[in-house]
Amino acid sequence: MAARLEIPGGRSITLKGRTTIGRGTDCDIPVLDPLVAHVHAEILKLPDEQFMLVDLGSSSGTFVSGERVTEYILSDGDEIALGRTRLVFRVAATASPESAAGGDRTRPIYLRTFAKIESIWPTGEEFLKSYEAAGRTGSFFHPLAEDESPLPGIEVGALLSVNLRFLDRQAEFHIHAKVVECRTAGDNRGLRLEFLPEERERLELVMACAGGEAFPYSQRRYERTACRLPVRVNMEGGRRLDSMAIEISEGGIGLVPSYTLKTEMSVNLAVFFPGKKKPLSIRGRVAAVIAEGPRQGVGVEFFFDSPKQRDEVKCQVFLIRSRWSE
């Protein structure tokens, strides 16, 4: 099934396997709207030829016909709202028996009608041991506990919405996969899940995080931008460290290596953004400390006290990114 998005200005964009929408110029559909995130949402073409809209953790949200959604199976004529921008989903005209007879079009369904599973791993290393490269993406084995029953309706070929968590990385990913093997008996009970081809870019984030990349991925879909920003790190007990940020995103900041900062430490950051008279104060948590190698540094995840503070950081990151692209 072919489909397209009608965008402002009277133009339309043909949708492919994975189409990204956002303020970033690297998105398939760039949107010049300050309320839209750098990579705000995506539309995936599923194996059954349906198209699924996915919000990528945006703060302002993604709406279909006035209702906020995180995942949504689109139907012809649905209006998608991102910030102040309106897009309309269109399907190539194909007459079905129902439409020819004048029947009502079936309304789209939420993906919550698909099975959802929690796949929780104590360490990223354990996940990597279960991972196998396969075709255009890869697969992993999700074990079932002795007292855990397979979800009803789960069989080979079923699509799942997977919440993948690495406890040692303090990271969480929402990703889609297909069941390629189902073992319901014996000691090695579980499901082998193959990631959809449209998830290849997100899979790169999963693998990088599982392998121990320094920058925090709990705010997983933010693009990191190189920078040189003075940062004052205030720690418990009145201790203070003057540092330098080498990369930043809407969800966190990467600092130069430091032996003072330790993983899981709570800190208060004073970030000196260009053109600002006063530093911006942000609470944070040290998510990772890498002392050696090409990715050495300290990754600090932001914790915002208000939507206004989050928007201020987004605005400053946007300005930094704009300067780098000039």
Side-chain angles (χ1 to χ4, degrees):
M1 179 177 69
R4 69 184 192 277
L5 270 189
E6 294 179 354
I7 63 177
R11 296 184 297 130
S12 64
I13 301 292
T14 300
L15 299 176
K16 51 186 182 180
R18 177 176 184 260
T19 303
T20 56
I21 311 169
R23 200 177 60 241
T25 56
D26 53 340
C27 289
D28 298 307
I29 303 179
V31 177
L32 298 178
D33 186 332
L35 297 180
V36 172
H38 186 80
V39 184
H40 191 108
E42 66 184 3
I43 297 177
L44 301 175
K45 186 176 183 179
L46 303 178
D48 61 0
E49 296 295 304
Q50 294 190 92
F51 287 85
M52 179 176 66
L53 173 67
V54 181
D55 179 86
L56 299 180
S58 67
S59 59
S60 59
T62 300
F63 298 79
V64 176
S65 301
E67 184 173 354
R68 186 164 186 167
V69 300
T70 53
E71 298 174 328
Y72 201 86
I73 301 298
L74 293 166
S75 288
D76 185 44
D78 279 333
E79 183 182 85
I80 302 168
L82 298 79
R84 300 187 183 94
T85 304
R86 300 295 182 268
L87 311 168
V88 180
F89 176 78
R90 295 293 185 190
V91 176
T94 53
S96 63
E98 291 83 358
S99 61
D104 292 336
R105 174 172 62 87
T106 301
R107 291 302 304 157
I109 58 173
Y110 286 107
L111 195 63
R112 62 170 175 262
T113 57
F114 292 10
K116 290 188 177 184
I117 65 169
E118 292 273 345
S119 188
I120 303 174
W121 297 81
T123 67
E125 184 178 358
E126 290 185 36
F127 169 80
L128 291 177
K129 290 179 180 178
S130 80
Y131 179 82
E132 294 181 2
R136 297 169 61 189
T137 55
S139 65
F140 73 98
F141 187 76
H142 170 73
L144 293 172
E146 293 183 3
D147 57 347
E148 184 180 0
S149 301
L151 294 171
I154 296 297
E155 57 186 15
V156 173
L159 291 177
L160 298 182
S161 180
V162 183
N163 201 40
L164 187 62
R165 294 171 59 192
F166 303 140
L167 299 182
D168 63 329
R169 310 295 186 208
Q170 295 290 313
E172 183 176 334
F173 299 86
H174 185 214
I175 199 162
H176 302 93
K178 179 174 68 174
V179 179
V180 294
E181 184 181 1
C182 185
R183 305 177 193 169
T184 57
D187 296 332
N188 196 19
R189 300 169 64 247
L191 306 171
R192 178 153 290 278
L193 305 176
E194 183 177 280
F195 298 110
L196 299 184
E198 293 78 15
E199 298 279 30
R200 280 179 296 176
E201 292 183 16
R202 194 170 304 157
L203 180 58
E204 291 179 5
L205 297 182
V206 171
M207 301 301 288
C209 178
E213 185 158 341
F215 200 81
Y217 276 94
S218 49
Q219 301 289 339
R220 62 189 180 281
R221 297 180 180 104
Y222 294 128
E223 177 187 348
R224 293 168 289 167
T225 299
C227 65
R228 297 287 293 179
L229 300 176
V231 178
R232 182 168 297 155
V233 184
N234 298 300
M235 297 165 280
E236 294 180 356
R239 293 181 299 159
R240 191 178 75 182
L241 170 69
D242 288 327
S243 184
M244 180 69 68
I246 53 178
E247 57 186 13
I248 191 170
S249 80
E250 292 90 337
I253 197 166
L255 305 176
V256 295
S258 168
Y259 294 103
T260 305
L261 298 175
K262 307 298 182 183
T263 304
E264 299 301 323
M265 181 182 289
S266 296
V267 295
N268 283 299
L269 305 175
V271 185
F272 293 82
F273 288 104
K276 300 285 288 184
K277 294 182 179 180
K278 296 182 179 180
L280 184 61
S281 179
I282 312 169
R283 292 188 303 114
R285 176 186 64 87
V286 178
V289 177
I290 303 298
E292 300 177 352
R295 296 297 304 166
Q296 62 179 334
V298 178
V300 180
E301 178 185 1
F302 292 149
F303 288 102
F304 298 109
D305 296 321
S306 66
K308 181 179 179 181
Q309 187 184 48
R310 181 190 297 272
D311 290 342
E312 175 66 19
V313 170
K314 288 175 63 177
C315 179
Q316 294 300 324
V317 172
F318 173 74
L319 292 174
I320 292 172
R321 195 170 284 142
S322 300
R323 292 188 185 100
W324 275 93
S325 63
E326 289 177 353

